[in-house]
Amino acid sequence: MRSIVLSTCMLIAFLMGNAQGPDNRICRLGFDYEISNSTHWGNDRPVVTHILPYSPAEQSGLMVNDVITAIDGASVASLSDNEISQLLNQADKSNVILTVSNLTSTNKQVSVRKDCKNVNTITEDQLAAAFSMYSLESTNAREFVCPFKTITTHDAVDFANYKTFAFAPIDESNRNLETIINETIAKELIAKGMKPEANNPDVLIQTFYFFDKNPGFRGTNRIQTEKEPTFRYDYVKQQMAYFPFLSSNTPESEAEYLLQLGFRLVDQKEQAGRVLWECEANELMDNSYRLDEYAKTHIPLMCMQYPYVKYSQNVKFAVDQKMYNYTGIGYDIDRLDVVSEVAPNSPAAAAGVRAGDKIEKINQYKMVSSAEDFSKAYKRFVKNTMKYRDRNIQYTDANGFRYSMHWDNSKYSDVANVVQNPKSLAAFSYLYYFTPYINPSGTNTTTFSLKRGDETTDVIIRPTVHKELSVRVD
């Protein structure tokens, strides 16, 4: 049950890019990076690997795969990871000027302001993750691996020099399929900043594919197949979905069907015919599957390894999904019934909530100050409601919890009854008040009973539903 334990360490672990500034405040920029060891992209400089939704980094226009070449005018060449971290987190500066390069531009300057909060503030974004078992339909963290093999040229070639692309001629006998494959690849490359160019392109894209019965098939181990369902992010459905593929450790002789799809970027600019980058997927299946559907759902994942390659094979992906009610209230992590701060221009600020207000109740649910009390009640809620979950939708989450399941549609009223039990201490269920199993009334407003001095008043807040989705190479 480790993924459902609410502890102080877990609550503050969601902060990204934090640095303690003056007056005991925590500041974040909202992005992750790693020092590149690739001669093709970054080459010993920081490469942005993740942008946190609703963060200053996202608002600044910083992008995944951006190469940071300078911080506040200081070159990052030859700097250690620790020295780069210090430049990014200087306490006396309210923003950071990054000089970045990507497939679109060179030496572009991006200003990222710091988002600073009290060191003891826990946000609704963090609480939504901590209390995700209230609504796994809305908030969950998943991981999956795709059997992709990615190779690059051994030559020290900077992929930033290649800006345009074209496709090899289409095989007329498979025009519909190849058109779908090419259009899907083109969409991804254009989003990265490359441009189609029919005449004299920098790279020529060649595709290859195969689907047929496995001539070496000896029979499928059905028990193993049923134990290891394959879930991946589906770019067509925009959600995690089941795929009829066998796990990567399944012997090929147990796969009735084989599928292969790949494409390569061939140099046309500096050394004609040289393969710069190639990605190939090889799937094992016990049922038939359409190549065009595979292309639409998996080419976007394959392209996430260009221009920066992290894995040569078996690429690991992380999917973080959140949808929760945002009021803008930050809670005091030491006393969760006290408002630590209120975000400017937020629904809570508009309703008149102030830092220092003591929260007596949220909706009809009593507030307590102790994170430990909330943790005990939350674990009890999870245990008592397992029988109301749909075992047909079961998966292992990113924390290794094997019994992650959505609610059974026919048990929504039972779930709501447990939520409304005072022993559940379900004050933070307001984060999912837009769902029918938390709030059957369907009215997404939240009432905070606030004590300010000797007076207690009810404040009605109409929250904004924040939606976050992050799919990245982990």
Side-chain angles (χ1 to χ4, degrees):
M1 302 289 281
R2 60 178 177 169
S3 69
I4 62 173
V5 177
L6 178 62
S7 66
T8 300
C9 292
M10 178 179 178
L11 290 175
I12 64 175
F14 294 96
L15 293 173
M16 294 181 56
N18 297 332
Q20 187 164 336
D23 303 322
N24 290 321
R25 290 177 69 77
I26 290 288
C27 299
R28 68 169 188 171
L29 297 172
F31 69 92
D32 285 342
Y33 68 89
E34 62 182 48
I35 306 302
S36 169
N37 60 5
S38 169
T39 59
H40 307 310
W41 193 257
N43 199 12
D44 294 328
R45 290 166 293 178
V47 175
V48 176
T49 56
H50 179 51
I51 304 289
L52 190 68
Y54 295 98
S55 69
E58 182 182 65
Q59 295 165 5
S60 73
L62 193 69
M63 302 291 290
V64 169
N65 289 328
D66 278 355
V67 178
I68 300 173
T69 58
I71 302 171
D72 288 326
S75 172
V76 300
S78 302
L79 294 184
S80 69
D81 196 359
N82 184 55
E83 290 170 325
I84 291 170
S85 179
Q86 290 178 1
L87 283 177
L88 288 171
N89 296 303
Q90 297 181 69
D92 59 341
K93 293 188 175 183
S94 61
N95 71 308
V96 176
I97 305 296
L98 302 178
T99 304
V100 301
S101 296
N102 49 44
L103 288 171
T104 303
S105 57
T106 303
N107 296 326
K108 173 186 175 183
Q109 289 198 334
V110 177
S111 177
V112 186
R113 65 171 178 81
K114 292 182 179 178
D115 178 20
C116 298
K117 291 180 171 58
N118 293 330
V119 69
N120 63 331
T121 295
I122 182 74
T123 66
E124 289 169 313
D125 180 86
Q126 295 160 340
L127 287 168
F131 288 103
S132 63
M133 294 293 284
Y134 282 139
S135 184
L136 287 175
E137 293 86 341
S138 307
T139 298
N140 56 74
R142 309 278 291 272
E143 293 177 342
F144 64 93
V145 175
C146 284
F148 299 159
K149 179 181 178 181
T150 308
I151 63 172
T152 58
T153 176
H154 294 297
D155 300 335
V157 177
D158 188 350
F159 289 166
N161 295 329
Y162 297 84
K163 309 287 189 183
T164 61
F165 67 90
F167 289 93
I170 282 179
D171 179 353
E172 289 299 328
S173 63
N174 289 305
R175 168 166 288 275
N176 290 340
L177 171 60
E178 294 199 8
T179 297
I180 289 172
I181 293 173
N182 291 357
E183 287 177 348
T184 308
I185 295 171
K187 180 181 178 181
E188 297 302 317
L189 294 184
I190 291 171
K192 293 176 182 292
M194 296 185 71
K195 297 180 179 179
E197 175 60 61
N199 299 318
N200 300 317
D202 294 340
V203 297
L204 183 70
I205 300 174
Q206 299 174 343
T207 63
F208 51 95
Y209 48 86
F210 168 86
F211 177 80
D212 208 341
K213 285 196 170 186
N214 179 9
F217 176 58
R218 297 293 181 268
T220 300
N221 185 334
R222 295 287 176 179
I223 296 178
Q224 179 180 353
T225 302
E226 290 171 3
K227 284 185 177 180
E228 300 180 0
T230 298
F231 290 94
R232 296 177 187 168
Y233 186 75
D234 188 327
Y235 267 90
V236 176
K237 296 179 180 178
Q238 296 286 292
Q239 63 184 25
M240 290 293 290
Y242 169 77
F243 287 90
F245 307 139
L246 301 179
S247 64
S248 57
N249 58 5
T250 302
E252 185 173 309
S253 61
E254 294 182 7
E256 188 172 357
Y257 295 90
L258 303 177
L259 180 150
Q260 181 188 75
L261 175 66
F263 61 102
R264 60 179 68 96
L265 276 59
V266 182
D267 194 346
Q268 304 293 296
K269 182 178 182 179
E270 297 181 3
Q271 184 178 320
R274 175 175 55 185
V275 175
L276 299 170
W277 178 96
E278 177 178 307
C279 186
E280 174 186 310
N282 289 282
E283 300 282 3
L284 306 177
M285 295 170 291
D286 59 359
N287 286 297
S288 180
Y289 196 79
R290 292 174 61 95
L291 267 169
D292 56 347
E293 294 299 323
Y294 189 88
K296 286 185 263 187
T297 55
H298 284 75
I299 284 175
L301 296 171
M302 299 167 78
C303 287
M304 291 178 72
Q305 286 246 107
Y306 185 83
Y308 184 56
V309 178
K310 291 187 66 172
Y311 296 94
S312 60
Q313 59 184 3
N314 294 332
V315 182
K316 181 180 178 182
F317 294 90
V319 181
D320 293 310
Q321 175 186 325
K322 289 181 187 173
M323 184 165 64
Y324 63 93
N325 272 338
Y326 169 80
T327 68
I329 293 177
Y331 297 84
D332 188 325
I333 199 169
D334 298 316
R335 294 186 59 197
L336 288 172
D337 58 346
V338 174
V339 177
S340 175
E341 54 190 290
V342 179
N345 305 314
S346 65
V353 181
R354 304 176 192 170
D357 284 346
K358 187 175 186 301
I359 306 171
E360 303 272 297
K361 292 193 302 182
I362 301 179
N363 296 318
Q364 71 266 39
Y365 307 118
K366 177 184 176 182
M367 278 290 283
V368 295
S369 63
S370 168
E372 184 179 356
D373 288 344
F374 273 115
S375 177
K376 290 179 180 178
Y378 181 54
K379 290 166 66 177
R380 185 167 55 247
F381 165 83
V382 173
K383 180 179 179 180
N384 292 340
T385 56
M386 274 295 179
K387 57 190 174 184
Y388 302 137
R389 295 190 180 273
D390 185 351
R391 296 191 178 275
N392 293 318
I393 308 176
Q394 179 175 333
Y395 58 89
T396 301
D397 70 7
N399 296 306
F401 183 57
R402 296 177 55 196
Y403 303 104
S404 297
M405 292 174 279
H406 292 182
W407 297 118
D408 185 329
N409 293 350
S410 66
K411 303 294 184 180
Y412 282 0
S413 60
D414 297 303
V415 177
N417 288 337
V418 180
V419 171
Q420 292 165 12
N421 186 324
K423 292 183 179 180
S424 294
L425 293 182
F428 290 117
S429 66
Y430 84 87
L431 295 164
Y432 302 109
Y433 218 51
F434 51 84
T435 63
Y437 35 84
I438 299 297
N439 174 28
S441 73
T443 303
N444 192 23
T445 59
T446 299
T447 301
F448 285 76
S449 295
L450 305 176
K451 187 173 184 180
R452 189 177 296 160
D454 295 330
E455 297 183 0
T456 300
T457 183
D458 288 345
V459 176
I460 298 176
I461 300 178
R462 298 184 181 278
T464 301
V465 178
H466 267 198
K467 296 180 181 180
E468 304 176 7
L469 176 64
S470 170
V471 184
R472 65 187 185 278
V473 177
D474 195 15

